[in-house]
Each structure stands twice: as structure tokens, then as C-alpha cells.
Amino acid sequence: MYEPSPKRERHLLQLHWRALAHWRPESWNLQLAIRVHGVAIGLQNMWAADFATVRTVETGSWITRPRQGHGYGTEARAAVLELAFAHLGAVEAHTSYVDGNTASQRVSRKLGYVGNGRRANAEDGTRVIEHRMLLDAVTWANHRMPGITVDGASECLELFGLRADEPHS
């Protein structure tokens, strides 16, 4: 599943560069580092297609095993949800987790996501069940984490397919 170092790190950089190279207002993938005391411990991303029209984002994250269970994943997800709902005007967010990833499921439920179906995927020649989850803006507002702030979003609205002169939240 994970390649050994340094191939793993190279693959991660390539994914990030690909996301930046293919960014368009109609289809974007925001890749963010999760850092603690200056050390990268994981990734949080948020992506969308036709966001200006559908106002829907998807989120995903990954945190190194030693740093799991300390609330960093919850805080990172809460931060991108703050960006999505409060600054970009999203109306819903989707995420998913695979069977057995109870930590991801707990983070999603803590932030207000509810089950929204499932599907089977092939991963390394094995059948894996992916559980889909949904969070709408009203539910997010009731589960919003205190202390999360986003700076500079208004200067970047065009990159997300939005105009600065229209309401976003």
C-alpha cells in the first residue's frame, strides 16, 4: 500500500505538483500540509468540480501513525470545512473512509457528517468497502469548532471559481 522511503515522499510531491499544475477554477484540489511545531505530520485536502455552481466539496486527509489520536486530524478537517462553508459558501461537504478505519469515521462523525451510502473499490487487488459521508452547512454550523480561523481567503476567490463581489456564506 505504501511504498518505502524515498519513493513514498517522491510520490507525495508528485501528487501535490499535479494538483497545482491542473488547478482551474472549474476543477481544483487544495493540498495542505498538517504541521505541528514546524514538522509535517500529514495532509489535508479539499477538492471540487464546478464549485461555483454546485457548492459541494470533498475532503480527505492522512496523518502519520505516531501523530494519530491527538486531535490533529479533527482540527485539520475543521479548518478546511471553515474555509469551505464560512469563506467559499459551500452548501455541503463529502468525505469517505474504508472499512476498518474507525479513526477517520470518528473524526467525521465528531464534525457532524452522517452516512451517505457505500461502494466497493479494488485496492491492490483486494475488494475494499468505502463508506461515504455527508455534511451540510446547517449541521456544520452546529458542530463548528471554536478557535478555527482562515486568513486571506477573499484574495483567492477567483482561484475557486468565485467572484469577490458576490456573497459566499
Side-chain angles (χ1 to χ4, degrees):
M1 187 166 165
Y2 294 111
E3 296 184 46
S5 192
K7 283 185 177 181
R8 177 179 53 237
E9 291 86 351
R10 189 175 307 118
H11 180 72
L12 179 62
L13 284 171
Q14 289 171 331
L15 287 173
H16 181 72
W17 294 332
R18 185 178 303 117
L20 289 175
H22 291 273
W23 188 294
R24 296 175 300 130
E26 305 80 32
S27 178
W28 46 264
N29 186 339
L30 180 62
Q31 303 270 324
L32 300 168
I34 302 170
R35 296 175 4 143
V36 175
H37 304 296
V39 176
I41 64 158
L43 297 171
Q44 175 67 59
N45 64 334
M46 177 174 70
W47 64 96
D50 300 314
F51 179 78
T53 303
V54 298
R55 301 295 175 144
T56 299
V57 299
E58 298 218 23
T59 64
S61 60
W62 174 84
I63 296 183
T64 59
R65 286 200 191 275
R67 297 301 189 131
Q68 292 176 6
H70 301 283
Y72 301 127
T74 303
E75 188 173 350
R77 180 93 60 85
V80 296
L81 292 173
E82 182 75 17
L83 172 61
F85 288 115
H87 296 273
L88 302 181
V91 297
E92 62 185 27
H94 295 261
T95 196
S96 62
Y97 66 93
V98 296
D99 263 348
N101 190 343
T102 56
S104 181
Q105 179 187 20
R106 279 195 307 267
V107 166
S108 298
R109 292 213 184 277
K110 183 188 294 186
L111 293 170
Y113 285 86
V114 295
N116 192 33
R118 61 182 234 162
R119 68 178 171 205
N121 295 314
E123 199 169 284
D124 295 329
T126 304
R127 183 176 193 263
V128 176
I129 302 297
E130 176 186 52
H131 299 270
R132 306 282 299 152
M133 300 190 84
L134 169 69
L135 175 65
D136 63 42
V138 172
T139 305
W140 165 77
N142 293 324
H143 288 83
R144 196 173 186 181
M145 269 184 78
I148 303 290
T149 61
V150 173
D151 296 319
S154 59
E155 290 87 348
C156 304
L157 293 176
E158 286 184 34
L159 295 171
F160 296 97
L162 304 171
R163 292 190 352 238
D165 61 350
E166 62 183 290
H168 304 292
S169 55

